[in-house]
Amino acid sequence: KNKNLFAHYYKNKMANNNNEASFLSEIPVTNFSKPELNNGEVLVIKTTESIRESMKKLLELNILSAPLYDDEEEEYVGMVDMISFVCFLSVIFESAQVLQESLSNLVNDIDHFSNEDVKTAADLGDKKFTFVDNNGNLMDIVKLLTEGSRRVCVFSEENKLENIITQSNVVNLIFGNQSRFPNLASKTIKELNLGNQVVGASIEANISDIFSTLKKKSYYAMPIVGANGAIVANISAKDIKTILRSPDNIRLLYGTVSEFLVEMHRNDVEEKNPAISVKETDTLSTVLEKLCANKIHRVYVIDDNLAPTKIITLTDVLKCFVQSSE
């Protein structure tokens, strides 16, 4: 739906406009598609709901985050997302290691704390709550999405939460309209200096160390490399569901990344290619295509030896359009 918004608004305007990203400024926030899941309503999680209940809701709708609402305060107090659950699990595991607890005790600890209010987990993660009213345009949203927010909540004039616009939503819109900015789309990753330094991990590393690094560094993902340094997989915050799916899977925290990947792909049969990569000579158009076709949040730039050298996130892609508009 969103990818066709452009034609509706400015069939005539772009002919005389050299600003390749200007179409984002012409799309009213109110015309961005509403959620198709949850009967068209934004999923809201109450602070009194348990960690277990909250994660179940997110997984059932296959979404990565939701706003937190405090009934007592009668206000939204933040967000809960997959990195919150990574932080939750890492804290418990690290404490168990210090106390030298057995696997059975660790399972009991996680089971016990999963019944705690979800605010406990949200407070451990990035609970930043970014919002706008519905009078703005999409470029207003994009700027917020390049300044530390991964999603922006949209409120009506009646102060009702009516939509959440994510980085993925906007990148999909851009991908569907790339014919409107051919010069930018045809530039290479090298020409745009797109991406940032990447931090990877060995496939033989402990999976607990990977999740601990995600927590400490506030990363959402890390590339996994084999013995020759070539990228072989990707571990992201949402993969924590593999461990939290069943008490039996808590044992995976004591294993390696390779053991974890075997279990993850046994259950997540929809996972096609866990580590999508590009070369520096590939264009922005190629990056957009891979992000959108594979429904992922990042691609890795690899060298001739297939080793990851950079990571390109949705934030990096959106920054191209903010810079183009200035």
Side-chain angles (χ1 to χ4, degrees), residues 68-86:
L68 277 176
Y69 188 80
D70 189 317
D71 279 328
E72 288 189 6
E73 299 293 332
E74 296 185 341
E75 65 180 6
Y76 291 92
V77 294
M79 302 287 295
V80 61
D81 62 6
M82 288 300 166
I83 201 68
S84 303
F85 298 121
V86 168

Side-chain angles (χ1 to χ4, degrees), residues 138-154:
L138 201 54
M139 181 53 82
D140 298 329
I141 300 289
V142 170
K143 288 178 179 178
L144 291 172
L145 292 174
T146 60
E147 296 172 354
S149 299
R150 290 179 171 83
R151 80 285 297 172
V152 176
C153 297
V154 181

Side-chain angles (χ1 to χ4, degrees), residues 26-297:
E26 301 293 339
I27 299 178
V29 170
T30 51
N31 282 82
F32 209 85
S33 295
K34 302 290 174 59
E36 296 182 357
L37 300 171
N38 200 36
N39 298 318
E41 296 291 325
V42 174
L43 173 66
V44 175
I45 292 177
K46 303 290 183 68
T47 54
T48 52
E49 294 184 58
S50 72
I51 292 172
R52 180 181 284 107
E53 291 171 332
S54 303
M55 186 164 188
K56 182 181 178 182
K57 286 184 177 181
L58 291 177
L59 294 179
E60 284 177 347
L61 293 177
N62 195 30
I63 58 178
L64 302 181
S65 63
L68 277 176
Y69 188 80
D70 189 317
D71 279 328
E72 288 189 6
E73 299 293 332
E74 296 185 341
E75 65 180 6
Y76 291 92
V77 294
M79 302 287 295
V80 61
D81 62 6
M82 288 300 166
I83 201 68
S84 303
F85 298 121
V86 168
C87 293
F88 159 73
L89 191 63
S90 294
V91 167
I92 295 176
F93 181 75
E94 289 164 8
S95 298
Q97 293 294 89
V98 170
L99 297 173
Q100 297 183 327
E101 289 188 341
S102 65
L103 174 58
S104 61
N105 284 341
L106 176 61
V107 171
N108 289 334
D109 286 345
I110 292 175
D111 184 62
H112 171 73
F113 284 108
S114 292
N115 292 313
E116 293 287 320
D117 290 349
V118 68
K119 192 173 184 299
T120 304
D123 286 343
L124 294 171
D126 177 14
K127 62 173 186 175
K128 184 175 183 180
F129 187 75
T130 305
F131 63 93
V132 296
D133 60 38
N134 60 9
N135 294 319
N137 61 63
L138 201 54
M139 181 53 82
D140 298 329
I141 300 289
V142 170
K143 288 178 179 178
L144 291 172
L145 292 174
T146 60
E147 296 172 354
S149 299
R150 290 179 171 83
R151 80 285 297 172
V152 176
C153 297
V154 181
F155 283 82
S156 68
E157 293 180 358
E158 295 75 30
N159 204 30
K160 178 186 177 183
L161 177 58
E162 60 181 16
N163 203 0
I164 295 181
I165 299 177
T166 68
Q167 290 181 324
S168 293
N169 295 151
V170 179
V171 169
N172 273 284
L173 168 65
I174 289 171
F175 173 62
N177 289 286
Q178 59 182 307
S179 61
R180 306 293 178 171
F181 44 90
N183 293 334
L184 187 59
S186 63
K187 287 187 177 181
T188 67
I189 293 169
K190 187 173 183 178
E191 288 173 330
L192 293 169
N193 193 25
L194 196 58
N196 293 285
Q197 181 181 3
V198 66
V199 176
S202 166
I203 196 168
E204 295 307 321
N206 292 328
I207 190 64
S208 60
D209 291 339
I210 302 299
F211 286 123
S212 179
T213 299
L214 293 181
K215 175 179 77 75
K216 292 174 181 175
K217 300 289 187 180
S218 295
Y219 295 153
Y220 267 70
M222 291 179 68
I224 304 302
V225 298
N228 61 354
I231 188 168
V232 295
N234 175 73
I235 295 291
S236 69
K238 70 177 181 179
D239 297 327
I240 199 73
K241 66 184 180 182
T242 297
I243 291 176
L244 295 180
R245 180 183 287 114
S246 165
D248 292 339
N249 286 349
I250 302 301
R251 59 179 171 76
L252 294 171
L253 285 171
Y254 293 92
T256 64
V257 173
S258 58
E259 293 167 339
F260 178 80
L261 289 171
V262 169
E263 183 67 28
M264 183 172 74
H265 295 307
R266 178 180 296 133
N267 289 284
D268 293 332
V269 293
E270 78 279 0
E271 188 79 42
K272 296 177 181 178
N273 188 340
I276 306 298
S277 58
V278 292
K279 293 288 189 75
E280 272 205 321
T281 51
D282 284 328
T283 63
L284 176 60
S285 177
T286 299
V287 172
L288 287 168
E289 181 180 6
K290 293 200 173 189
L291 287 169
C292 296
N294 293 284
K295 298 180 180 179
I296 53 178
H297 293 182

